[in-house]
Amino acid sequence: MNILQVSNLIHKYDKETILNDMNFTLKKGEILCVLGPSGCGKTTLLNCISGFVDITGGKITCKEQVVSESNFTMPPEKRNVSLVFQDYALFPHMSVKKNIQFALRNKPKNYQEEKIVEVLKMVGLLEKIKNYPHELSGGEQQRVAIARSIASGNDLLLLDEPFSNLDPNLRQELRSELRNLLKKNEISAIFITHDQYEAFDMADRIAVLNKGKIEQIDSPRELYQNPKNTFVANFLGSKNLIKAIYDENTSAYTCPLFSIPRERIEMSEEVYFYLPNDAIQLKESDFINHDFEVLGEHFRGDNLELEIKFRDIEMSISRPAYAVNIRDKLLKLYFNTDLIKIIPV
Amino acid sequence: MKFNTNKQFAFQKIFILAVCTVVILPFLALLFRAIFGLDSDPSVWIHVTRNVIPNILSNTFSLALYTSLFSILMGTYSAWLVTLSDFKYKKILHICSILPLIYPLYVMSFIYVGLFEYSAPTMTFFRNEWGINLKQFIDIKSVTSISLIFSLCLHPYVYLLLKQAFEGQGDHLFKVSRSLGYTKVESFLKITLPLAKPWIFGSLAIILMETLADFGGVSVFNFDTFTTAIYESWTGMFSFITATKLSAILIFFALLVLGAEAKLTSKQKFFIKSKSGFVAPFELSQLFKSMALIWLLLLIVTTIFIPSYQLFSWCKDNLDLQSLLNNYPYFYNTVRLAFITALVTTIVTTLLASSSRFLKSVNWERLTKLTTLGYAIPGSIIAVAVFGLFTKIKISLGDFINQNSFLYFILVVGLMTRFLSISYKNIFSSFKRISPNLDKAAALLAKPSVIIFKIHIPLIKSGIISGFLMVLIEVMKEMPMTLMLRPFGKDTLSVKIYEFTSEGDWERAAIPALLIVLAGFISIVIMTVVEKIGSKTK
Amino acid sequence: MKFLIPFLVLFSSVASAKTLTIYTSRKEHLIKPILDLYTKETGVKFNYTTNKDGALIQRLKAEGSSTPADLLFTVDGGNLWYASTQNILEPINSQILDKNIPASFKDPKNLWFAFSLRARTIVYNPKTVKKGELSTYEDLATSKWKGRLCLRTSKKVYNQSLVAELIDTLGRKKAKKVVAGWVANTVDIFSNDTSAIKGVISGQCDAAIVNTYYYGRLLKKDPSIGVKIFWPNQNDKLGVHINVSGAGLLKYSKNKKESKKFLEWLSGGKAQALFASLNLEYPANPSVDLDPLVKSWGTFKYNKEFNLSKAGMLQKDAIKLMHEVQYK
């Protein structure tokens, strides 16, 4: 059974179309990350799904029940959807215990007591049960917020950039913790972020949003290997896009580095070569190769990110630190054209 | 980096202590006199305890109770409509909810007594034309009526503070509550309102202080309260000691209120940051839309239409260039006094708030809060206390100080003592919104005086401006203290109004009343414009 | 407080000479014309501040010898008496004043002198009050006046002085009965005389006890108000209750000679006529003519032996009495 089904969702505000014909489904226990630039409609999407905003067209269905239509919006309190915000949104006037208890209304007292202990144990904060939110650190507050959502027993969790306020190490820690918790409790989640690494880490699938439209929705690996267009590729953080010119004589798409024979594709005006990391090798092989100038290097601990240049083409590759002799200012790179994709703008 | 907090912030500590002294010393002198002063005729006090106190206790108590109740209801409803609902006429309601601040209690009182007393034209009309004695339905001198009229004037305080509270919460908490299965109403009751408690209690304290200290208004209704009893025992029974004893009791009640408010709000140390945008969650049904509209119309009629109509119809015989010119000097004096006092008070309060923040100590914060005590003391008592104390100082300094300037000076001091509380509420709650982390960051970069100007003041600008304007309006309306301390030729409009209303001369009182209302109106307009600019630059 | 001194010095200035300073509880518009007239005639200028009597006296006490004031003008004998007990007034020895002002209208020790008189009497609606129904103050306490009386608040000093005279003449027990009777008969208690008279005009009640000049003011504005004046107790010792508006010389005045001269002028014919007529009162100087409207109310008898100082001495008792009978 699908936890969530979004069909032809349209949302207009004052003649401006915010969400433009969105379609996707979410299975039980699935984690979907929504990635996109600011203003692309991510928060509006969450508002529509949680029921705080009416939709203009299309349908939203939760577990076979229609919750939003153009003329009907089921109120949020009736939906089985929890919210987690960037500012944690813990009730300041209630202790941790009371905050979680708040999510357990209409449940018998002993069930409440048990559940509170259970979820606090899950996030490792049982000893803070009597504290107030302002006495906790940011990370602790967010954990409590997550615990609260789990306690509510809702099937779907909506998270709006939940870790943006926290420092990177904490972020990483909480990410994996959250993913484990969600999977263990079989809770579906839609996770908004503008950090592609976070999305890669957390998501079963990623939806890349652009101006209210889903450009592509796929697993992280699939998205990385086969981005549908340059927008998606850029958003995933890739800098390795090279403009491809079609040569009529050789019937191939060409660039200064290589050419790939192909039938001309009627995609768009402009077409680009997309080079995933594994299409570029340092190891000697039969592939076409070129000497690249190393413009700069960024030490990332485990690996080295190199900014490289050939004529006027600039790219970046990531390599394990030991694989590259940093002293070399010239790097010979081999291109496996089988792994190179051609994508429209 | 080590902070030697003992030597550092010495200026701040001295400043806080100095202001506390100025504010509290007269009050202490008064208490001293009440307890240890010589009573030339003890029979007066005994008589008062037997025959007067029971009556004024119940009167003052019921007046305070009803006024608080009505004010809270009115103010909360309006604040809810304006910030949390989709009421179509929010802007008008907002204006109508602030507007009553321009009316002093005593002006609203004489307008309504003049309207509903037996011999009033309206009442006479109803009696003669339709044989209806409205007095059966509307007893203008009952506690309920008086409380309603007082609430019309005072509920803006509740409205303004609650609006701040609601807006400051942002909508995340509300949304989370709903997502956890609570309806809008439940979320409002369980989350929004409890979080607004400091603001509710703060506004309640203001309402209670205003009611307890009122003298002009209750005099028009001939309603006996502590203030009227104090005045009577002093001037009628010539027992200043009895007056101080009654004052001491009144001050005790006031301290009780302040203490309760402090205790109830001290626990809430939350810094509610509202970065989120706001979509008003409550959609009004047809029934509630009509209710809201009726409420708005009621406000317009009772606080705009009726007062203007009454004042103008009383003025119309006297409204000529000559009488306007006659009133101009009083108008000038009123505005000048109000402006100077508001300026001094705002500066002092900003420095107090900033100093208290630097010191970061609960005890210093409590000490600073003591400076708001002046609000608890009726104006006439402050006047006598301040006058007595400063005159002694003046005499010891020598005779070269001009009496007029001296009086003006202590009048401003007395007024500041009384109205510091308002300034405090506005500026301190603005300060509370600034996270202490900001101070820590700033402390590493600059010294306190720079921090005040470059960081604190810009961030609390709206608090400063609303504090300034509120003190301005209050001073313009103030009467008992101004009456006692004003120097020669510095009569204000409030003084003139009192003189005329104490003789039942509503007509003569109408022009100065109109002028006070006009001056107050202009201040409100400025306050609104500034608020608009402030919210745009955010 | 050190930082206060430069602040205060900034505001210093020198006072001008030949100026008299008056603290007055008599309203500005009733005293300014007199002051202006004197200034015109003699060149002496005036500074004045108006306030309630109690407040003025407190201020004078607190100011002590540094007071800038020369004269205290106040209304009601009770207030004058109180001022005389607070060691702020100085006796005036003046043959002119002794000649012009009768003994019952000045302090026995010459600490204050009355300059105008007012009567607190009964006004009534001739349409609803039969001839002969009205007789005395005490009569208003009888049951035949139930629901027909309008009273002003006991907090106003005029009522306190009236009750004081009742206590003095009738004795406390009887006076208490009378006041209790008034309270039982009254339809409402008003904060001012004008409203009480309006009560009679509008038919809310049939009679009210008020000061003559309030009646006069309303009459002047509208001669057709249909309310008439009545002088009670014309056949007994009590007579009509008279009260005064007067003045005293302040002990620490720096212009005593000039102040005395002014008061002497004020007790004379022209000044008296103006002073009284401004407020439709009776001049204290019996040889001065009355304002025509006031004259039209007729003459009446009053207790010449009752010195207003007594009203002051009994004021506290009067207030206690009024509290005891719940007279608001």
Side-chain angles (χ1 to χ4, degrees):
Chain A
M1 183 173 35
N2 285 329
I3 290 294
L4 184 71
Q5 191 160 344
V6 173
S7 330
N8 308 106
L9 174 63
I10 299 177
H11 174 79
K12 286 201 177 130
Y13 182 75
D14 251 3
K15 297 199 183 155
E16 203 186 316
T17 306
I18 312 281
L19 298 176
N20 194 355
D21 197 22
M22 293 187 86
N23 286 286
F24 66 90
T25 56
L26 199 65
K27 289 205 278 288
K28 186 169 168 73
E30 185 180 354
I31 301 177
L32 172 72
C33 275
V34 175
L35 202 59
S38 32
C40 68
K42 313 192 288 280
T43 306
T44 309
L45 177 62
L46 287 199
N47 278 331
C48 289
I49 296 174
S50 51
F52 287 107
V53 143
D54 299 332
I55 66 177
T56 322
K59 209 157 58 162
I60 302 180
T61 315
C62 280
K63 287 212 284 208
E64 319 272 291
Q65 189 181 28
V66 176
V67 296
S68 283
E69 259 183 319
S70 59
N71 57 359
F72 165 71
T73 308
M74 183 187 282
E77 56 268 18
K78 297 226 174 82
R79 303 190 189 201
N80 263 320
V81 178
S82 296
L83 295 169
V84 174
F85 287 103
Q86 193 177 55
D87 61 3
Y88 329 126
L90 289 180
F91 304 126
H93 59 304
M94 296 184 191
S95 64
V96 165
K97 176 170 179 193
K98 283 238 145 70
N99 260 282
I100 300 182
Q101 197 171 26
F102 198 77
L104 294 164
R105 77 183 317 198
N106 300 331
K107 297 275 194 296
K109 196 84 196 279
N110 44 348
Y111 176 86
Q112 284 183 353
E113 300 283 334
E114 275 174 29
K115 197 73 182 175
I116 293 173
V117 169
E118 183 189 329
V119 295
L120 278 178
K121 273 201 188 141
M122 274 188 218
V123 296
L125 285 174
L126 187 56
E127 76 270 15
K128 301 278 184 185
I129 190 171
K130 288 205 159 78
N131 289 86
Y132 278 80
H134 66 268
E135 294 167 340
L136 305 175
S137 71
E140 289 170 337
Q141 287 188 54
Q142 197 59 295
R143 283 192 172 103
V144 173
I146 292 169
R148 180 174 61 184
S149 308
I150 296 177
S152 71
N154 286 335
D155 304 307
L156 176 59
L157 187 56
L158 302 178
L159 305 106
D160 195 338
E161 306 201 33
F163 305 132
S164 301
N165 273 353
L166 308 170
D167 65 72
N169 280 343
L170 194 54
R171 238 183 270 173
Q172 188 126 357
E173 203 180 305
L174 281 173
R175 274 210 296 267
S176 22
E177 220 179 279
L178 177 63
R179 193 181 154 85
N180 288 336
L181 278 173
L182 292 172
K183 287 300 176 190
K184 205 153 120 194
N185 291 284
E186 287 193 296
I187 299 175
S188 315
I190 300 180
F191 193 109
I192 288 183
T193 179
H194 54 262
D195 179 350
Q196 70 265 43
Y197 298 113
E198 197 158 74
F200 285 153
D201 241 357
M202 293 281 309
D204 294 324
R205 281 192 300 161
I206 300 177
V208 179
L209 225 61
N210 184 20
K211 295 205 184 97
K213 233 178 148 58
I214 297 181
E215 292 285 351
Q216 187 175 359
I217 179 167
D218 257 321
S219 74
R221 195 171 284 275
E222 190 54 37
L223 224 59
Y224 179 75
Q225 298 288 61
N226 291 308
K228 231 158 79 178
N229 54 35
T230 53
F231 177 83
V232 175
N234 271 323
F235 217 81
L236 294 178
S238 175
K239 298 187 191 74
N240 297 343
L241 289 163
I242 308 170
K243 198 158 161 82
I245 314 280
Y246 196 73
D247 186 355
E248 298 288 348
N249 302 333
T250 55
S251 289
Y253 279 101
T254 63
C255 77
L257 295 172
F258 47 75
S259 78
I260 299 178
R262 261 280 226 145
E263 235 173 64
R264 189 168 187 152
I265 313 162
E266 291 305 324
M267 277 190 284
S268 63
E269 292 281 320
E270 285 177 41
V271 153
Y272 279 77
F273 286 117
Y274 172 66
L275 288 79
N277 214 26
D278 48 2
I280 310 172
Q281 289 176 16
L282 282 176
K283 199 158 131 193
E284 230 185 280
S285 56
D286 296 333
F287 298 132
I288 185 169
N289 64 65
H290 297 278
D291 287 318
F292 274 76
E293 200 187 322
V294 176
L295 292 178
E297 59 204 24
H298 304 280
F299 185 64
R300 298 266 184 256
D302 284 348
N303 53 27
L304 211 57
E305 195 178 302
L306 301 168
E307 282 169 35
I308 50 183
K309 185 174 168 168
F310 179 83
R311 293 199 205 148
D312 56 354
I313 296 173
E314 283 183 27
M315 296 201 294
S316 79
I317 57 166
S318 168
R319 284 290 175 271
Y322 64 80
V324 178
N325 189 349
I326 318 169
R327 304 256 162 103
D328 295 349
K329 281 298 172 178
L330 269 181
L331 209 56
K332 199 184 270 297
L333 296 173
Y334 300 82
F335 293 89
N336 183 351
T337 51
D338 285 338
L339 297 176
I340 297 176
K341 313 286 187 312
I342 300 172
I343 56 178
V345 157
Chain B
M1 212 192 282
K2 259 200 263 180
F3 289 101
N4 183 352
T5 44
N6 277 329
K7 287 209 189 120
Q8 205 175 31
F9 302 136
F11 170 76
Q12 280 80 356
K13 288 185 189 170
I14 293 175
F15 183 74
I16 293 180
L17 284 172
V19 178
C20 277
T21 312
V22 169
V23 167
I24 297 179
L25 208 55
F27 165 57
L28 286 176
L30 187 86
L31 283 178
F32 183 81
R33 205 138 173 210
I35 303 173
F36 302 111
L38 287 167
D39 194 348
S40 51
D41 183 0
S43 68
V44 177
W45 173 243
I46 298 171
H47 161 82
V48 160
T49 47
R50 240 184 260 144
N51 295 311
V52 175
I53 290 189
N55 188 34
I56 57 177
L57 256 181
S58 81
N59 276 356
T60 309
F61 181 73
S62 23
L63 182 64
L65 183 68
Y66 288 132
T67 307
S68 308
L69 200 66
F70 292 139
S71 301
I72 297 273
L73 286 173
M74 292 182 192
T76 310
Y77 185 49
S78 292
W80 176 84
L81 276 175
V82 169
T83 54
L84 297 174
S85 84
D86 62 351
F87 184 47
K88 236 196 321 182
Y89 305 106
K90 276 186 203 192
K91 288 212 176 109
I92 305 178
L93 181 57
H94 173 71
I95 294 172
C96 291
S97 297
I98 306 182
L99 214 56
L101 280 176
I102 61 183
Y103 299 105
L105 283 174
Y106 51 85
V107 166
M108 205 56 120
S109 301
F110 89 76
I111 288 175
Y112 276 89
V113 169
L115 186 63
F116 285 105
E117 62 180 353
Y118 192 90
S119 46
T122 36
M123 301 292 268
T124 312
F125 177 76
F126 272 92
R127 267 197 318 275
N128 295 343
E129 300 298 314
W130 296 333
I132 305 173
N133 185 1
L134 277 181
K135 196 146 194 269
Q136 289 178 315
F137 306 112
I138 310 172
D139 181 9
I140 197 67
K141 294 194 187 159
S142 68
V143 185
T144 322
S145 308
I146 304 178
S147 306
L148 276 172
I149 292 170
F150 277 18
S151 300
L152 280 177
C153 293
L154 296 174
H155 83 272
Y157 292 119
V158 179
Y159 168 77
L160 281 171
L161 285 175
L162 271 176
K163 179 168 181 285
Q164 231 182 34
F166 291 160
E167 280 174 347
Q169 284 178 19
D171 67 353
H172 283 175
L173 295 173
F174 197 81
K175 279 187 172 161
V176 166
S177 171
R178 291 192 70 193
S179 73
L180 294 175
Y182 295 81
T183 62
K184 290 184 206 171
V185 173
E186 286 172 328
S187 303
F188 179 71
L189 293 174
K190 286 187 194 278
I191 304 292
T192 317
L193 272 186
L195 279 176
K197 265 207 286 217
W199 285 265
I200 295 178
F201 289 135
S203 61
L204 247 183
I206 297 179
I207 305 278
L208 283 170
M209 294 308 178
E210 285 286 346
T211 309
L212 288 176
D214 171 72
F215 175 71
V218 292
S219 299
V220 173
F221 287 106
N222 200 33
F223 187 73
D224 296 335
T225 63
F226 268 92
T227 50
T228 56
I230 289 167
Y231 186 77
E232 197 185 15
S233 49
W234 175 16
T235 58
M237 294 194 276
F238 305 130
S239 175
F240 189 65
I241 284 292
T242 306
T244 58
K245 287 193 161 96
L246 287 171
S247 303
I249 298 178
L250 189 57
I251 290 168
F252 170 71
F253 285 137
L255 285 179
L256 220 63
V257 169
L258 285 182
E261 191 236 343
K263 189 136 202 265
L264 288 166
T265 58
S266 71
K267 285 192 191 154
Q268 297 184 298
K269 289 189 180 115
F270 342 121
F271 307 106
I272 302 175
K273 300 158 264 184
S274 151
K275 288 194 205 140
S276 59
F278 215 94
V279 173
F282 286 90
E283 287 164 7
L284 297 175
S285 67
Q286 199 51 45
L287 172 66
F288 282 96
K289 269 194 197 140
S290 319
M291 272 174 61
L293 204 57
I294 292 177
W295 167 237
L296 178 61
L297 286 172
L298 211 64
L299 262 184
I300 293 179
V301 166
T302 54
T303 62
I304 300 177
F305 183 69
I306 290 184
S308 338
Y309 170 76
Q310 267 291 39
L311 288 177
F312 276 114
S313 66
W314 279 326
C315 278
K316 71 175 184 310
D317 297 320
N318 296 335
L319 203 66
D320 52 36
L321 196 62
Q322 185 56 45
S323 34
L324 279 177
L325 282 175
N326 285 344
N327 277 296
Y328 176 72
Y330 310 129
F331 179 76
Y332 173 75
N333 291 335
T334 306
V335 174
R336 182 167 177 260
L337 179 66
F339 191 83
I340 293 176
T341 308
L343 195 66
V344 169
T345 309
T346 307
I347 293 174
V348 168
T349 313
T350 309
L351 287 174
L352 274 179
S354 165
S355 303
S356 164
R357 213 171 150 85
F358 281 126
L359 291 169
K360 283 193 276 279
S361 132
V362 176
N363 290 326
W364 279 101
E365 199 174 312
R366 282 203 192 118
L367 198 64
T368 314
K369 195 120 198 234
L370 275 184
T371 58
T372 60
L373 278 180
Y375 209 33
I377 313 177
S380 33
I381 303 290
I382 296 183
V384 173
V386 162
F387 183 80
L389 182 70
F390 280 95
T391 305
K392 285 209 172 73
I393 298 174
K394 176 182 180 253
I395 290 174
S396 60
L397 287 176
D399 249 338
F400 60 91
I401 299 169
N402 176 275
Q403 179 72 357
N404 270 351
S405 324
F406 170 71
L407 285 173
Y408 203 81
F409 171 72
I410 62 172
L411 177 57
V412 172
V413 170
L415 288 168
M416 181 191 82
T417 303
R418 179 148 167 77
F419 295 122
L420 220 149
S421 176
I422 302 182
S423 193
Y424 182 97
K425 289 219 157 51
N426 278 280
I427 294 182
F428 270 71
S429 45
S430 266
F431 254 111
K432 268 208 183 88
R433 286 257 167 77
I434 307 176
S435 155
N437 290 329
L438 199 67
D439 285 10
K440 287 183 197 155
L444 294 168
L445 297 169
K447 50 183 186 145
S449 49
V450 174
I451 296 181
I452 296 178
F453 280 105
K454 292 245 152 114
I455 303 201
H456 284 169
I457 291 187
L459 282 174
I460 59 166
K461 236 192 309 210
S462 65
I464 289 183
I465 293 176
S466 60
F468 176 85
L469 285 170
M470 281 178 104
V471 172
L472 191 80
I473 297 173
E474 288 302 312
V475 174
M476 284 197 284
K477 300 184 320 191
E478 204 280 334
M479 186 265 293
M481 204 189 315
T482 315
L483 189 65
M484 248 234 81
L485 291 177
R486 76 211 191 279
F488 302 130
K490 293 273 188 286
D491 281 3
T492 61
L493 294 170
S494 59
V495 167
K496 296 318 275 182
I497 295 174
Y498 179 77
E499 282 180 5
F500 295 132
T501 56
S502 61
E503 293 294 298
D505 200 346
W506 316 135
E507 287 83 1
R508 271 220 179 85
I511 296 187
L514 261 182
L515 287 173
I516 284 195
V517 167
L518 183 71
F521 179 71
I522 294 177
S523 313
I524 299 259
V525 168
I526 298 177
M527 190 149 79
T528 322
V529 167
V530 164
E531 196 186 295
K532 274 221 170 92
I533 297 177
S535 59
K536 272 200 191 135
T537 53
K538 266 188 206 155
Chain C
M1 300 298 158
K2 273 190 258 174
F3 53 85
L4 283 177
I5 300 184
F7 205 71
L8 290 174
V9 170
L10 272 174
F11 287 102
S12 292
S13 67
V14 185
S16 56
K18 267 260 179 104
T19 304
L20 290 179
T21 301
I22 298 182
Y23 282 5
T24 170
S25 68
R26 195 171 166 85
K27 299 275 162 23
E28 181 182 358
H29 64 277
L30 298 174
I31 200 170
K32 194 165 183 300
I34 281 284
L35 303 179
D36 288 344
L37 182 62
Y38 191 68
T39 307
K40 208 160 85 164
E41 286 188 9
T42 65
V44 172
K45 294 212 198 86
F46 289 94
N47 271 333
Y48 58 89
T49 190
T50 51
N51 211 323
K52 288 187 151 208
D53 311 83
L56 289 173
I57 296 174
Q58 277 310 120
R59 180 139 137 187
L60 284 165
K61 279 169 71 176
E63 282 174 343
S65 57
S66 70
T67 181
D70 301 300
L71 293 161
L72 175 67
F73 270 78
T74 178
V75 283
D76 190 85
N79 289 323
L80 287 166
W81 170 81
Y82 180 60
S84 72
T85 63
Q86 297 303 298
N87 200 23
I88 52 175
L89 297 173
E90 182 171 285
I92 308 176
N93 290 316
S94 158
Q95 285 185 327
I96 300 176
L97 285 176
D98 286 341
K99 187 172 81 137
N100 288 338
I101 312 287
S104 48
F105 300 132
K106 66 175 198 215
D107 178 73
K109 296 202 209 96
N110 282 6
L111 287 169
W112 54 262
F113 290 82
F115 290 97
S116 69
L117 318 171
R118 63 279 294 275
R120 193 159 187 78
T121 187
I122 304 175
V123 294
Y124 67 98
N125 184 347
K127 293 206 189 107
T128 54
V129 175
K130 295 195 287 272
K131 207 168 180 194
E133 250 194 302
L134 286 166
S135 57
T136 63
Y137 291 113
E138 305 94 294
D139 178 66
L140 287 178
T142 59
S143 55
K144 75 170 190 254
W145 289 101
K146 188 149 180 90
R148 298 169 71 191
L149 192 60
C150 278
L151 284 179
R152 184 180 188 166
T153 173
S154 63
K155 295 189 210 34
K156 191 62 191 183
V157 69
Y158 308 145
N159 279 334
Q160 293 162 6
S161 297
L162 170 60
V163 171
E165 186 168 7
L166 288 179
I167 294 178
D168 180 70
T169 314
L170 305 173
R172 198 180 200 274
K173 232 175 161 180
K174 195 143 183 251
K176 187 167 174 179
K177 259 197 174 156
V178 170
V179 179
W182 286 351
V183 175
N185 289 345
T186 192
V187 293
D188 201 0
I189 295 184
F190 300 85
S191 60
N192 60 82
D193 277 6
T194 307
S195 294
I197 302 176
K198 282 192 189 156
V200 177
I201 299 173
S202 66
Q204 194 177 4
C205 52
D206 295 335
I209 304 177
V210 296
N211 281 1
T212 45
Y213 55 85
Y214 290 112
Y215 170 63
R217 285 185 207 163
L218 279 179
L219 205 57
K220 242 196 171 156
K221 245 202 265 174
D222 179 7
S224 67
I225 53 175
V227 171
K228 289 220 162 109
I229 204 167
F230 178 79
W231 306 114
N233 298 71
Q234 292 301 288
N235 298 317
D236 56 46
K237 188 170 162 220
L238 187 56
V240 170
H241 172 71
I242 299 285
N243 209 325
V244 304
S245 167
L249 174 64
L250 292 169
K251 194 163 140 184
Y252 293 112
S253 159
K254 320 253 179 339
N255 301 293
K256 292 198 183 146
K257 233 163 105 188
E258 205 56 65
S259 304
K260 184 168 144 188
K261 262 214 245 156
F262 170 62
L263 288 184
E264 287 172 345
W265 173 84
L266 191 57
S267 72
K270 194 163 62 166
Q272 275 288 286
L274 178 60
F275 193 71
S277 68
L278 276 174
N279 196 28
L280 299 171
E281 288 174 86
Y282 299 84
N285 185 334
S287 63
V288 174
D289 251 340
L290 300 172
D291 176 281
L293 179 60
V294 176
K295 211 173 185 176
S296 72
W297 300 334
T299 54
F300 54 86
K301 284 197 239 160
Y302 63 92
N303 186 352
K304 288 204 172 86
E305 270 142 42
F306 183 70
N307 186 292
L308 265 304
S309 298
K310 265 228 200 113
M313 287 186 259
L314 291 167
Q315 186 174 300
K316 227 188 288 186
D317 208 6
I319 296 177
K320 282 191 202 169
L321 188 151
M322 292 194 277
H323 283 159
E324 286 163 19
V325 300
Q326 309 292 329
Y327 181 172
K328 266 208 311 176

